[in-house]
Amino acid sequence: MLTMPIPEYLQEILDNVHDNTSGEVADYIPELKAADPNPLAVALCTVDGHIYSAGDDSVEFTMQSISKPFAYALALQECGTEEVFKTVAVEPSGEAFNELSLDGENRPMNPMINAGAIAINQLINGPDSTVEDRVEKLRAYFSELAGRELTIDRGLSDSELTGADRNLSIAHMLRNYDVIADDAHDAVLSYTLQCSIKVTARDLAVMTATLAAGGVHPITGKTLLDARVCRLTLSVMASAGMYNEAGQWLSSVGIPAKSGVAGGLIGILPGQLGIATFSPRLNPKGNSVRGVEIFKQLSEDMGLHLMSTEQVSGHAVRSITQDGDTTYIRMQGAMNFSASEAFLHAIVSHEFSGDTVILDLSRVLTFHPVATRMIKEGLKRIRDAGYSVAILDPDDVLPDFTFSDGTLCRQLS
Ligand code: GLN
């Protein structure tokens, strides 16, 4: 059986950022201040439900602000866009996450800052809901997205509530302007419990993949959100998910994202995959230092920047057929990360027989550099497993035929 190179690549990325110990763990929540600053993890989940991860991928941490986009999506799904827009706007504030601010219509600027998130939390489960029922609804929903039962870290929420003056003042401001009806303490309790739901990097990757896939869960295939809800959630993440670092983030990484003060960071490439990292030390804007580094590298290496103008492909593996001792793998369309992942996934799941494998690129249009590397790596592994491999490339779309070990792949004319 062949092995999948993506986890090795993810491990390499973690190795590259491992020694960067700059930044500080969040210090305004006593339990977070005392947290181990060292865990490091990355996980990906494609819209087809293939999960890849490396590092401390099963260490649990609290979602904190990463809960905001998921709560926003649930509010949109439950109440509809119109009602949600009446409560919270969709303008980037360019402000810190805990700023006390409202727009000209006395609405929080967006659902990614605390003012917006506290107001959104209050929309869940109807106006008469108790705090416990509202939080249970969120916990159950997040669990369905993650594919396992998530729990709440009540020690963490108690610890946060001992010094929640900032969020309490935001809640009082919201109540003063009739944005929320609940008692300010209940509103902050409800929001803080939402923030204290525990996940791993792998959970977050699976949860984000549903948003990437227009609301269809990548593993169960269940439709959990409308595609329009996902689009709107991703839009707000793109413009405001990284607070006052949002502009710089969109320029350098170029994907909708959300960070949390416990050190989690998620990113979503629409139609392709969800990504999550975990590393607790934060930069002065409250975003994970090594998480930001990992995302910059992934975006660059994997061609994930949304504003890049390359085509997105689907059904990249046209067919795998057998003719005597020869296996033909026919690819089609634009070769990007997803297309190469589909190729690698297909070859590691395939039972090869005979002695020769031919990769047919006659229907391939373009090769992103990541696809050149990944597809050649897959071919090399087939060769190393004892097959004679060759490439049919009549239109010269593959820029070079050299494997990572310097040997040359045979080209058919
Ligand atoms: N619970 C935290 C707070 O409200 C979440 C903030 C964050 O993750 N940026 O302060």
Side-chain angles (χ1 to χ4, degrees), residues 28-29 64-65 68 97 114 160 167 191 195 243 259-261:
Y28 73 102
I29 300 175
Q64 300 297 340
S65 284
K68 293 169 178 173
F97 69 90
N114 289 11
E160 180 165 358
N167 284 337
Y191 160 77
C195 288
Y243 314 119
S259 63
V261 285

Side-chain angles (χ1 to χ4, degrees), residues 102 106 108 115 118-119 122 167-187:
L102 295 174
N106 293 331
I118 292 170
Q122 291 293 295
N167 284 337
L168 279 168
S169 46
I170 292 174
H172 281 293
M173 171 187 74
L174 295 175
R175 210 176 128 81
N176 180 58
Y177 287 101
D178 294 325
V179 181
I180 61 171
D182 237 11
D183 170 78
H185 285 85
D186 278 354

Side-chain angles (χ1 to χ4, degrees), residues 26 31 34 87 103 106 118 123 149 152 203 230 275 289 312 343-344 351 356 359 376 378:
E31 274 219 5
T87 313
D103 72 358
N106 293 331
I118 292 170
L123 294 178
E149 282 307 309
I152 298 177
D203 291 332
C230 296
I275 307 170
V289 173
V312 174
F343 166 76
L344 291 172
E351 294 270 334
T356 304
L359 181 69
K376 285 195 305 184

Side-chain angles (χ1 to χ4, degrees), residues 103-156:
D103 72 358
E105 292 169 46
N106 293 331
R107 292 175 304 176
M109 300 282 278
N110 65 68
M112 300 295 125
I113 55 171
N114 289 11
I118 292 170
I120 290 297
N121 174 278
Q122 291 293 295
L123 294 178
I124 305 293
N125 207 37
D128 302 324
S129 177
T130 62
V131 170
E132 284 304 322
D133 287 351
R134 178 176 296 129
V135 172
E136 174 51 24
K137 181 128 199 193
L138 283 157
R139 191 207 60 79
Y141 186 68
F142 291 3
S143 299
E144 186 160 25
L145 286 168
R148 73 178 184 100
E149 282 307 309
L150 302 178
T151 57
I152 298 177
D153 186 340
R154 291 194 184 250
L156 197 289

